[in-house]
Amino acid sequence: MTERKEFRDLAEPDAARDAIASLDLVPEPESVPLAEARGRVLAERVDAGIDVPGFDRASMDGYAVRARDTFGADEADPVELDLVGAVHAGATPEVTVESGTCAEVSTGAVMPDGADAVVMVERTDESAGGGDGTDRIAFRTSVAPGDHVMAAGADIAAGARALGPGTRLTPREIGLLSALGVDEVPVRGRPRVGIVSTGDELVRPGDELDPSSGEIYDVNSTTIAAGVAEAGGEPVLYPHAGDDYAEMERLLREAADECDLVLSSGSTSASAVDVIYRVIEERGELLLHGVAVKPGKPMLVGRLDRADGGESAYVGLPGYPVSALTIFRTFVAPAVREAAGLPEPRTATVEGRMAVRERYGEGRLRLMPVGLLDLGDETAADGPAGARERPLVYPVDKGSGATTSLVEADGVVAVDPDTEYLEAGEPVTVQLFSPDVRPPTLLGVGEDDPAVNRLLDRLENPRYLPVGSREGYRRLRDGVPDVAVTAGPTDREVDDVVLGEWRREWGLVVPADNPEGVEGLADLVDRDLRFVNRPTGTGLRRGLDDALEDLAAERSASPGELTERIDGYVLTLRAFESPVRRVLAGDADAGLALRETAERLDCGFVPLGEQPVAVRAAADRADREAVASLADELDDDGIATLIEGIAGYSA
Amino acid sequence: MTERKEFRDLAEPDAARDAIASLDLVPEPESVPLAEARGRVLAERVDAGIDVPGFDRASMDGYAVRARDTFGADEADPVELDLVGAVHAGATPEVTVESGTCAEVSTGAVMPDGADAVVMVERTDESAGGGDGTDRIAFRTSVAPGDHVMAAGADIAAGARALGPGTRLTPREIGLLSALGVDEVPVRGRPRVGIVSTGDELVRPGDELDPSSGEIYDVNSTTIAAGVAEAGGEPVLYPHAGDDYAEMERLLREAADECDLVLSSGSTSASAVDVIYRVIEERGELLLHGVAVKPGKPMLVGRLDRADGGESAYVGLPGYPVSALTIFRTFVAPAVREAAGLPEPRTATVEGRMAVRERYGEGRLRLMPVGLLDLGDETAADGPAGARERPLVYPVDKGSGATTSLVEADGVVAVDPDTEYLEAGEPVTVQLFSPDVRPPTLLGVGEDDPAVNRLLDRLENPRYLPVGSREGYRRLRDGVPDVAVTAGPTDREVDDVVLGEWRREWGLVVPADNPEGVEGLADLVDRDLRFVNRPTGTGLRRGLDDALEDLAAERSASPGELTERIDGYVLTLRAFESPVRRVLAGDADAGLALRETAERLDCGFVPLGEQPVAVRAAADRADREAVASLADELDDDGIATLIEGIAGYSA
C-alpha cells in the first residue's frame, strides 16, 4: 500500500481561509461590449463624457414659446401666438421663436432658438388663422421659463461622476451607460479557474461507462465548474489525470500557466492525493495540508509555478461530491467572488431553526449537510411585518459518498468544534449550496411508487425521499416531513390525515413469457431460482413477507425456514424498478415488483396480491398551502388521472 | 399636429396583467449541453438511466474481506488473513476473495467477488508473511457485511426519479446529472423577446451623436434587453424604426416572425405611438390600449400576425427609461419568467419603511420610484433572531425623463389609487429594478466636488446625490441621508458631526492664456463678456454671490444692479465641470469654476477665493458602520491622500 501522508497537524479553518486569502487570484481588468456587460463589475469609475440631454429638450408634446408671452393667459382669457413652424424629435430646428410666436414641438425635440418653455398641447387650441394665412394657437395657461424643458446636461452633465468602481451592472446601470453613449465597458476580469480532476476511474458525462472496471462519471468537475461560474469566475476544464506523476505534473503546470487558480478534485484515493501533493511540493509551494473540518480534512492550499516565472493559486478539494462542493462553497467561492469584485449574494444563506436535536462532538468544525423546509408560518405580530418563521433545518446524512445528498441537502450548517448539541428549535444559519437553491415547499417521504412520481411532477418544487413505507411513517411521526406515503398496512399510531389512496398490484417479475413457468411464491422456495428482493421497510417487501408467512403457516413451517431456501432473499435492491432490470439483464429469474414495472419494461408478471398506497399528511401540516395543493391533486378526479394507464393500479 | 389617440378608457392594471397572461410566450423546450445548463429549468422529469454507483464500491481505503472472517477480531486479538491481491479505483478486479483471504482496495474500487465488506486501513497491520511468501494482514476489528461498501444503485438506482420538471439547475443538480452520465439536458426554452425601439432621434451607444439635431442615445433597448436576459429570456435587438409606417410595419412583422414576444419602446412622441398603434390594429390585434398606472399610461398589449399564420405577443412600453423599466419589471418580466419556467427571485423585492411622509391622490395606481438605504439596525430582541429593521425608503422624483433616476432609485413602490398618504415609518414593499440591485450602504448628498468623487471611489457601494450644498444640508436636517457635503458657509442649524474638512480654491475659468485679460469679477460686470454660472445653492455660487455683494458694497450699488449687467449670470450649468467645458468649446468667455477643473482641462484661471468643504454626518448616524468607514477615510492622512495632486486644494 502506498505510503500515505498523515494529517497529524490539521490547520484551523481560519488558517485555511487566510492561506487562500493570501493567494492572488485577481485577473487583469478587461473591456467588454455593453451588450455583454450585465452582471459584470465596473473596474473603474465612469464619468459622463457628454451632457445628457445634449441639448435643451422639450419634455412634452406642445408648443415652444417665450414664457413671457404667456404671462396672464388662463382658461377665460387665452393668449394667441402665431405658429411659425414645427420641430420634431430627431430634427434640427429650422425656426426661431420670436416674441409673439410659437413653434410646435414633440416630446424630445430640440428647443428652437428664442423659446424658453413649452406649453403642453392639452392646454392649447388651434385658433382661427390670421388674415395672412398663418396659423394661430390659443394658450389657456401661462408657463414660466424652463417649464417642460429639460436643459442640456440637466440629467447628467459631462464630467459628472456617473458610476463608481465596483458597481455591479444590472439593467439600470446599463441604461445609464447607454445614455452616455458608452458601448465598451471597463470591467473587472473574471478569474480563470482551472479544474483538474484526478482518478483513473473517472469518465466524462456522455462518454461510455464500464462499471465492471469501476468506472464512474465525474461529478466534481462539472459541479465545481458550475460553482465557479456562479461565483463570477471562468471555469476551464482540463482532461482527467490518473495517478501518474508525470501526467499529473504536466496537467497541473498547463493549468497553472493558463489560470489564476487551479483546483484539483475527483479522486478520493490516497495515492492520487499523494501524487498531487508531490507535484505541488516540487513545482510550487504547499501552504497548508489538512484542515480541521468535516468533511474536507484532506484539503490542500498552495501555489504552482508558471512557465513565465509567475504563480497560480492552488486548492485541492476533497473527492466526494458533497464534500467537494461544501469546501468549494465555504473556502474557495468567497475568494473567487472577491477576485471578481462580487459580494456574496443575499440569498446565499438562510436563517433556519433546527427541526430535531442533533448531537455532535468530534472536536473539529463540522459542515453538516442539511435540508430545509419552509413552513411559511407568519411570525408573532410583534416581529417585523411580513417576516416569517425561520424554515426547518434537518440533517441529511447519507454518507459523504452519496451524490444524491447534493439534491437532498440544500446547504450546510457550520457546527463549532465546541458544540455538543444543537437543540431542536435552535436558530442556525444555512449556507446554501447555491444562491439559486430554492428550498422545497413540501417534504414527502416514504414508498417508492410510480404514481407518486407522477404526482410529484404535478407539484411546485416538492422534495420526496423514497425511504420506504416504514421509515417514512416513522419520520412523519417524528415531525419533520409534511407527508408520508405508505404502501400496505401501517403498524404505528401517528396523528395523520389520509389525503388520498389507491391500490397497486404486486407480484413476481419474470422474463418475458415466463420461461421457468413460475406460478407463485412456492416456486421460489422449492425450486432453484435466482431471486432479487426489495429492502425491509418497503411496502413491497412487507407484502412479500406477509405472503411468505401465510405460506409458512400452510406448511406448518417458520417463515425463516422458507426464506432460507430462497436464493437471493437477502439481495435487496433500492428502487422499485431495480429487480425488473436485474431480471431483464438475465441476472435473476424472478424479482419482487409491481405489475406496472414488469409490463412497462416488457417482462412477465406473476401476480401475488394488491396493496393500498396512502398519501398521509401530518395532522398539524394539513392546513399548509403546499399540502392543500397536494390534496387538490388527490381528489377523486385527481387520483383517476394519476393512475390512468398505470397497469395494475385502481382507485 | 397629428391626430392622437386619447386614453379615455384606461384599463385597470389587473386587466393589463390578465391581457399579458393571455398571450402565449412559451417557447419549445430544447436540449442543451450539460456545461451550458446552469440556470436553466428542466423541461421534464429526469429519471436515473443507470445505477449509481454502477457496482458494489469500496468506500474506504483498506481491505476487502468476507465479513464473517473478521468476527471476533479486536485490538487484543487480531485476525490474520492472506492478502491475495489488490483492486484500485478504475480497475477490473482480477482476484476473488475466498474465505481466509483479503484483497487491498482503494476508495472507489470495485469490490472483488466473494468479499462483502471493507476494513479501513487504519484498523489493520501488515503482518509477517506466511512461510510460502504470501503477505498476511492483521485485522484489529470486525466488520459486518456491507460495512464500508456502497452497493450498486445504493446512491440512486436506475429507473428512480432523479429530478422533477421545473427544477432550476444549480451546481448541485448539474452534479447529479453528471453522476447519471447525462450530458444533454432537456430544458425549457428561453422566450425570444424582440425589442424594436422607435423614434427618429435615437442613436445606438457607440455611434456618433449629433445633439444639435436632437439626437440622443437609445437607453431603453439596452436596458430592456438586459432585463429580458435577467428574466430568463433571450433578447433580440432590431434596428431603430422611425415614425414611418411602412418601415415600422416591416420591422414589427420581422420581429413577430422571429420572436415569442415583441416589445416596442423608445420614442415618447405621440406620432410614433400612433404609427405602432396602427400597425398592431392592421397587422394583429390590439387587446388593450392605455392603463391606469403612473407611469405607463400609454402601454399597449396585443398580438402580431406572423407570416406562418401564427402569432407573436406584443407589448408597447412607454418611452421614458424609468417608465419603460418600471412597466417592464411590473408587467412584462413576470410573463417572461413564467414562460421560461423561473420563479421570481427572492431578492426581487425588499420590505422597507417610508423615510418621509408622501402624499398622493391621482386616482390611479402609482409605481413610485424610490431609493433605499439600509441602516442595518438590529430589531427589538423579541423579533426573529438576526432580523433587521426594514431599510428606509424615500421617493426619487426627478421627472420620468431623467436617466439618472435609473440609478438614484432602486425600485418602485406600488401605491394604491385609494391611498392618499404614505406615512413616515409606514411599511412598504419595494419592487427592485433588478434582483441584483444592491441598495447602497451610505447615502450622501450635497456639493459636487472632485475630492468627494475621489472619496466615493474608496467606499463600498455608496450613493451620492450632487444636489448642491444648500439642498444637501436641508436634506440632512430632514433626516434621510447619512451625510451632507457643504462648500462655503452654512446658514442652518443641523445636529451634525463634521467628519472631515478641506479647502478649495475657486474663481473664473477663462480660455488658456486668458486672451481677454480677465482679472476679476469687475470685468464680468463692466465688460462685454459671456459668462456661465453655477446654480443657486451650490457652494461655488454662494462664493460668487458673496463676492458680488462685496463688490456692490464697494460701489454702493445693490447686488442686483451688478448681476443685471453680467451676461449669462442666469445661465447655470449643473456640474462643476460644465462651465469649464463651455469655455473650452468657445461658447463662453468666463465661467464659475474650481482651479482644479480649469487646470485639469488646460484652461486659464482667475482666482477669486477659497472656501471650506466639509463632510458632515447626521449626529444620529455617526455610529453606523458605513459612516465610520467614511470617517476612517477622512482622518488627517486620509484627507492628505484625498486631495493629493488636486490643484488649489489644501487641508
Side-chain angles (χ1 to χ4, degrees), chain B residues 186-204:
Chain B
V187 295
R188 304 272 302 246
R190 286 190 296 201
R192 278 173 70 88
V193 180
I195 299 165
V196 175
S197 61
T198 65
D200 292 323
E201 74 276 28
L202 296 180
V203 173
R204 279 273 150 88

Side-chain angles (χ1 to χ4, degrees), chain A residues 381-432:
Chain A
D382 51 358
R388 286 169 169 261
E389 190 69 86
R390 289 161 172 257
L392 289 182
V393 174
Y394 55 92
V396 172
D397 199 356
K398 304 180 71 179
S400 25
T403 317
T404 40
S405 297
L406 284 172
V407 295
E408 293 187 4
D410 295 305
V412 296
V413 169
V415 187
D416 198 76
D418 303 331
T419 300
E420 287 185 22
Y421 294 97
L422 292 172
E423 296 296 343
E426 185 167 338
V428 288
T429 299
V430 180
Q431 303 174 344
L432 296 180

Side-chain angles (χ1 to χ4, degrees), chain B residues 221-259:
Chain B
S221 295
T222 47
T223 307
I224 299 302
V228 164
E230 190 169 78
E234 186 188 337
V236 185
L237 290 187
Y238 288 88
H240 290 115
D243 296 356
D244 175 65
Y245 182 90
E247 171 69 358
M248 180 71 78
E249 183 194 356
R250 193 188 64 72
L251 273 172
L252 287 177
R253 298 187 77 164
E254 182 185 335
D257 285 346
E258 296 171 350
C259 298

Side-chain angles (χ1 to χ4, degrees), chain A residues 155 172 178 222 385 403-404 409, chain B residues 155 172 178 222 390 403-404 409:
Chain A
D155 193 354
R172 64 193 189 138
S178 299
T222 47
T403 317
T404 40
Chain B
D155 193 355
R172 63 192 190 139
S178 299
T222 47
R390 291 160 171 257
T403 318
T404 39

Side-chain angles (χ1 to χ4, degrees), chain A residues 1 45 59 90-92 104 107 110 155 161 172 175 178 213-214 217 222-223 268 320 346 385 390 403-404 409 437 457, chain B residues 1 45 59 90-92 104 107 110 155 161 172 175 178 213-214 217 222-223 268 320 346 385 390 403-404 409 457:
Chain A
M1 175 145 283
R45 188 210 300 172
S59 52
T92 306
E104 184 188 334
T107 305
V110 180
D155 193 354
R161 185 180 194 270
R172 64 193 189 138
S178 299
S213 71
Y217 284 114
T222 47
T223 308
T268 45
Y320 283 133
R346 276 169 290 155
R390 289 161 172 257
T403 317
T404 40
V437 160
D457 289 352
Chain B
M1 175 145 284
R45 188 211 299 172
S59 53
T92 307
E104 184 189 335
T107 304
V110 181
D155 193 355
R161 184 179 194 270
R172 63 192 190 139
S178 299
S213 71
Y217 282 115
T222 47
T223 307
T268 45
Y320 283 134
R346 276 169 291 156
R390 291 160 171 257
T403 318
T404 39
D457 290 351

Side-chain angles (χ1 to χ4, degrees), chain B residues 391-531:
Chain B
L392 288 182
V393 174
Y394 55 91
V396 173
D397 198 355
K398 304 180 72 179
S400 27
T403 318
T404 39
S405 298
L406 283 172
V407 295
E408 293 186 4
D410 295 305
V412 296
V413 169
V415 187
D416 198 77
D418 303 330
T419 301
E420 286 185 22
Y421 295 97
L422 292 172
E423 296 295 344
E426 185 166 338
V428 288
T429 299
V430 180
Q431 303 173 344
L432 296 180
F433 285 137
S434 155
D436 287 338
V437 159
R438 199 160 52 114
T441 50
L442 181 85
L443 179 61
V445 293
E447 188 74 6
D448 194 15
D449 178 273
V452 169
N453 286 351
R454 198 182 268 189
L455 177 62
L456 293 169
D457 290 351
R458 299 182 180 180
L459 303 178
E460 175 78 13
N461 198 24
R463 170 172 288 148
Y464 189 77
L465 309 177
V467 296
S469 294
R470 195 172 62 192
E471 171 70 6
Y473 208 48
R474 187 188 70 71
R475 293 195 190 185
L476 192 71
R477 186 199 58 188
D478 290 352
V480 179
D482 298 300
V483 162
V485 178
T486 58
T490 54
D491 300 329
R492 293 168 183 274
E493 281 292 314
V494 176
D495 186 13
D496 61 13
V497 180
V498 174
L499 303 180
E501 205 163 7
W502 59 84
R503 297 182 68 77
R504 65 183 192 178
E505 193 178 7
W506 65 274
L508 300 178
V509 56
V510 293
D513 306 324
N514 196 357
E516 297 283 344
V518 176
E519 290 180 359
L521 269 189
D523 290 315
L524 296 185
V525 177
D526 302 329
R527 293 171 55 189
D528 189 18
L529 297 171
R530 293 164 306 161
F531 177 66

